Amino acid sequence: PAPARSAAEALVEQLGAEAFADREAAAAALRKLGADAIPALAAAAGHPSPEVRDRAAALLVKIRRAADGAARVVPRRLALDYAGLPLG
C-alpha cells in the first residue's frame, strides 16, 4: 500500500485549489505548522501546478526566515554588577 500523505502534503496540494479562500486557508495552516511543513513545501518545487509551486516557494522562504530568526533570538539571563561604580 502507498504511504499515507502527511497533513502538510495535503495542505500543499490545497494550495492549488480552485477557490481562493481554500488556497489562503491552506497557506495559513502551513504557516501555523512552521518548520514541520518545510519538507512538504520543498518537495512542492517539482509540482506540476505553477500556483502550488509559487505559493509553496513563498511560504518556504517565510517559514525558514521565521525559524532562523527564532533560533537567533534566545532569551538570556544576565547579572549586572554595579557595585562601586557611579551611576550618574
Side-chain angles (χ1 to χ4, degrees):
R5 290 190 323 170
S6 72
E9 290 169 337
L11 288 168
V12 165
E13 285 299 320
Q14 193 177 340
L15 291 175
E18 287 292 321
F20 176 76
D22 293 342
R23 294 191 304 268
E24 288 295 305
L30 285 162
R31 277 192 302 273
K32 189 173 179 181
L33 283 176
D36 292 339
I38 289 176
L41 289 169
H47 197 279
S49 167
E51 180 75 20
V52 172
R53 287 193 309 266
D54 291 347
R55 285 177 170 267
L59 282 167
L60 190 56
V61 168
K62 288 178 184 177
I63 291 171
R64 281 184 174 157
R65 188 174 294 149
D68 186 40
R72 283 192 215 164
V73 181
V74 178
R76 299 179 194 266
R77 186 171 291 257
L78 300 174
L80 302 177
D81 183 11
Y82 288 108
L85 295 175
L87 297 178

